[in-house]
Amino acid sequence: MSVDVVVTATAFMDLTFIGLESVPGPGEERFAGDLIRSPGGGAINAIGAARLGLKAALSVPLGEDLDGRFIREALEAEGIALSTSAGTRTPTTVVMPWGGERAMVTYEPLASTSAAEVAGFEPRAVIVALDQLDLVPDGVRGYATCGDDDARAFAAHPPRDLERARALFVNRREALLITGEETAEKAAERLAERVEIVVVTLGPEGAMARAGGELVRAPGFEMETVDTTGAGDLLCAAFVWADLAGADLELALRWAVLYGSLSVTVPTGAAGALTRERLLKEGSARGLPPLATHKETRA
């Protein structure tokens, strides 16, 4: 099987509390208006890539439990190929959106994906977590994502094999923590010494990207924020889509920022992943230049 992109970043069962009064402190109880189950983590990358027209696969351990079955069925419905070796239990995150941000609590059992499983898909690109750079096959574009746990693990010392990635995606706080720098610009400059492209997301302000000596910025789009979960994952998916289509750095970043921005208007990252047709329509309405070519499928 040949695919455009394989995602190896951990897939979670997201349990999202919608309409919280506030995030509870120690000893407190708060009530939500709803509770939604949805695929999270790397599954959001895969859903975004598939809805943008890429042939996508997810290669992660999932438990043989109800949550694992739920995620498999949801991704199969999206046309996503799966390699989900059985773990003991499915990773789970409780998400509490409130006040334009969210708090999360995660359970992740120890399990891993093998390089052989990834290579078996013959991918053009791989989206990996920051500690999975060894899974990127030689000659394949690697796109590394970062989470709070990765940033803490690599605080003040970026991974040695960062050069295996074509692009690294971090938010402002993660960039500062990993590099020890005091500004996002300085952090991007330092990381760009180790990786071809560095994308630093800036929340409502958009994102910046640095490649060598080039620094480009893409402003954010004002949206009514419901849930920011998965916005960075979808920004990454859209950047990969545009990058594989041959877009230059600034154009890829602008489309990626729009995709991530649009996702926050609904609960859950999976629900926020728009189709390619909807994204192109939204981009055209906002004056974004079209992509010059479309190479989403293998030649």
Side-chain angles (χ1 to χ4, degrees):
M1 175 183 292
S2 296
V3 303
D4 293 306
V5 58
V6 176
V7 180
T8 67
T10 304
F12 296 91
M13 169 61 81
D14 277 0
L15 303 174
T16 304
F17 289 96
I18 300 301
L20 274 173
E21 301 172 279
S22 64
V23 176
E28 296 179 341
E29 180 180 16
R30 294 292 183 267
F31 288 85
D34 201 359
L35 174 62
I36 300 176
R37 296 195 306 162
S38 65
I44 299 174
N45 293 120
I47 291 171
R51 291 184 185 171
L52 289 172
L54 296 178
K55 191 172 183 180
L58 181 74
S59 182
V60 299
L62 289 176
E64 294 291 348
D65 49 18
L66 291 176
D67 289 343
R69 189 181 310 164
F70 177 92
I71 294 173
R72 290 184 181 94
E73 291 176 355
L75 269 60
E76 287 171 350
E78 301 283 345
I80 297 167
L82 299 177
S83 174
T84 53
S85 55
T88 55
R89 292 171 63 185
T90 295
T92 301
T93 296
V94 173
V95 185
M96 294 171 282
W98 185 76
E101 252 299 344
R102 80 270 193 246
M104 298 184 290
V105 178
T106 292
Y107 165 74
E108 183 178 358
L110 292 177
S112 61
T113 298
S114 74
E117 288 177 279
V118 176
F121 284 106
E122 300 180 5
R124 298 170 62 197
V126 182
I127 297 175
V128 299
L130 193 54
D131 62 350
Q132 295 178 321
L133 290 163
D134 59 321
L135 297 181
V136 180
D138 292 339
V140 172
R141 293 186 181 188
Y143 299 86
T145 62
C146 183
D148 182 70
D149 56 334
D150 297 314
R152 286 184 281 113
F154 292 106
H157 64 283
R160 297 177 182 177
D161 52 353
L162 194 53
E163 67 278 356
R164 293 180 66 92
R166 170 171 171 80
L168 168 65
F169 297 82
V170 289
N171 64 30
R172 189 200 318 257
R173 188 191 60 77
E174 292 160 353
L176 300 183
L177 185 58
I178 291 171
T179 62
E181 298 290 349
E182 296 184 355
T183 67
E185 290 79 5
K186 284 289 188 181
E189 180 180 359
R190 180 172 171 189
L191 289 168
E193 297 172 359
R194 304 278 302 279
V195 65
E196 187 176 351
I197 299 170
V198 178
V199 176
V200 181
T201 61
L202 306 170
E205 300 171 37
M208 69 173 70
R210 188 170 187 105
E214 180 184 13
L215 178 67
V216 300
R217 298 176 184 270
F221 297 86
E222 187 174 348
M223 300 288 169
E224 184 175 346
T225 301
V226 174
D227 183 5
T228 60
T229 306
D233 299 314
L234 293 174
L235 182 150
C236 171
F239 188 95
V240 173
W241 164 71
D243 195 37
L244 292 178
D248 63 26
L249 180 62
E250 182 177 2
L251 185 57
L253 186 66
R254 291 179 68 186
W255 279 103
V257 167
L258 176 59
Y259 198 56
S261 296
L262 290 167
S263 74
V264 306
T265 61
V266 296
T268 80
L274 303 184
T275 63
R276 177 175 59 188
E277 292 72 24
R278 173 76 185 282
L279 176 62
L280 294 176
K281 181 179 179 180
E282 294 283 353
S284 176
R286 291 168 172 79
L288 264 66
L291 299 183
T293 58
H294 292 283
K295 302 176 183 176
E296 289 92 344
T297 58
R298 294 178 70 94

